[in-house]
Amino acid sequence: MFDDSPQTDHALMQDRAFAAALLMCGEHPITLPSGLTLLNRRVVGLPVLMLPRAAPPLDLDAQLACAGLHRRLLILSPEQPTPMPRALRVAAPRTLLHVDLGGDAATRRAALHQNWRHQLGQAQRADMRVLHRALTPDHRLLTLEADQSRARGYRNWPTALTAAFAQVAPEQTHVFTALLRGYEVAHMLFLTHGNRATYHIGHTTDAGRSHHAHNLLLWEAMNTLAARGITTLDLGPQTLPDIDRFKRRAGAHEVQTGGTWLRWTPFALR
């Protein structure tokens, strides 16, 4: 178990629960003295370190040297645009969609697009209720997500990693389920990390789609998470126009990452 009090501001991939879930899955993340997590990967057969979703500390070289890692290939993916000396950019910044959960429910509702708010009203008037539970490692949503990702050809976390996260930090998992006349018609899973939350996976049925269940689930999630001290909800990167429009109409705004950079210092001195 981990302390999930919303006091720190950090990305999901820099949360201690994420590192613990990786360990449970047989991975070997490295924790620097500063607390940042490095991932071990192999690219074209070469061992590579990755520092995901974090700005490199000023004394990164010293921290790597202390761990004997100062000559390894390093991939850096800062959360925000930041100067990256002695590094080569290998991928452009991505655009993420974030929702500000500050203020009260009336403020959040005012930020909704008129059409999105109308669909929310339709869902609220339907014979539908919402359950909020922690994710269990055997939750059916994990199977639904695995099947859906195969069918649609997109990549997300491996199911085993999500299940491991639920096992090591259940209090940081939030499944919102819509029931229509007693039957499950849609799910949305959010993971919390410090004072932030990230939308992780979702699923809906034809009935859930026609009754705008995801509008209701996202609205309930925003209010529930805000009441727990979460200030920012990360809805993920831009993907398909329909999905992006749904997120923007829910009040999301664009945030640019710092891109992806490669750094190699094979002759660095300890």
Side-chain angles (χ1 to χ4, degrees):
M1 301 294 179
F2 298 91
D3 179 12
D4 190 35
S5 62
Q7 300 299 319
T8 59
D9 187 355
H10 59 269
L12 176 59
M13 296 180 76
Q14 288 299 328
D15 194 82
R16 289 187 301 155
F18 177 68
L22 287 173
L23 282 170
M24 182 171 286
C25 291
E27 300 284 341
H28 301 283
I30 298 166
T31 301
L32 295 176
S34 61
L36 292 176
T37 296
L38 292 170
L39 309 183
N40 271 301
R41 292 291 184 268
R42 298 192 77 85
V43 177
V44 197
L46 296 175
V48 175
L49 293 173
M50 298 179 67
L51 178 61
R53 299 295 297 272
L58 296 177
D59 63 342
L60 177 61
D61 290 335
Q63 292 191 46
L64 291 173
C66 288
L69 302 170
H70 50 300
R71 295 190 180 94
R72 290 271 295 273
L73 277 168
L74 179 63
I75 295 177
L76 302 152
S77 301
E79 274 207 290
Q80 302 172 0
T82 184
M84 301 293 290
R86 296 182 293 126
L88 173 68
R89 197 175 84 173
V90 294
R94 295 196 303 167
T95 300
L96 307 179
L97 295 171
H98 284 188
V99 178
D100 180 4
L101 298 184
D104 56 16
T107 301
R108 287 188 289 277
R109 194 176 187 95
L112 302 176
H113 186 277
Q114 180 179 353
N115 291 352
W116 205 99
R117 191 163 53 242
H118 177 67
Q119 292 172 342
L120 173 61
Q122 289 181 306
Q124 290 173 325
R125 290 189 295 272
D127 186 15
M128 192 156 45
R129 65 190 182 99
V130 175
L131 297 180
H132 172 213
R133 299 284 188 272
L135 181 72
T136 56
D138 60 349
H139 197 289
R140 68 186 300 264
L141 176 57
L142 298 180
T143 301
L144 293 171
E145 163 64 12
D147 294 341
Q148 180 174 263
S149 63
R150 282 194 296 269
R152 297 184 181 178
Y154 65 83
R155 296 183 61 185
N156 204 337
W157 284 14
T159 300
L161 180 57
T162 303
F165 192 101
Q167 189 168 342
V168 300
E171 72 284 354
Q172 292 178 233
T173 67
H174 301 266
V175 181
F176 292 83
T177 301
L179 286 86
L180 181 65
R181 293 183 287 277
Y183 293 94
E184 295 182 356
V185 296
H187 305 272
M188 296 185 86
L189 169 63
F190 302 84
L191 306 178
T192 57
H193 40 102
N195 61 12
R196 301 195 221 169
T198 295
Y199 166 68
H200 189 51
I201 55 178
H203 183 269
T204 189
T205 63
D206 289 340
R209 192 173 295 107
S210 64
H211 286 82
H212 308 296
H214 271 179
N215 294 67
L216 180 60
L217 292 181
L218 181 53
W219 175 248
E220 292 291 332
M222 288 193 293
N223 290 324
T224 299
L225 294 170
R228 292 171 176 246
I230 301 301
T231 59
T232 302
L233 173 58
D234 183 348
L235 294 180
Q238 292 185 142
T239 53
L240 300 175
D242 286 349
I243 296 175
D244 295 343
R245 181 168 55 250
F246 174 85
K247 295 175 181 178
R248 287 194 177 91
R249 288 182 171 184
H253 61 276
E254 295 184 359
V255 175
Q256 294 292 317
T257 69
T260 302
W261 301 77
L262 178 65
R263 200 182 75 165
W264 188 34
T265 52
F267 304 111
L269 298 177
R270 183 180 173 87

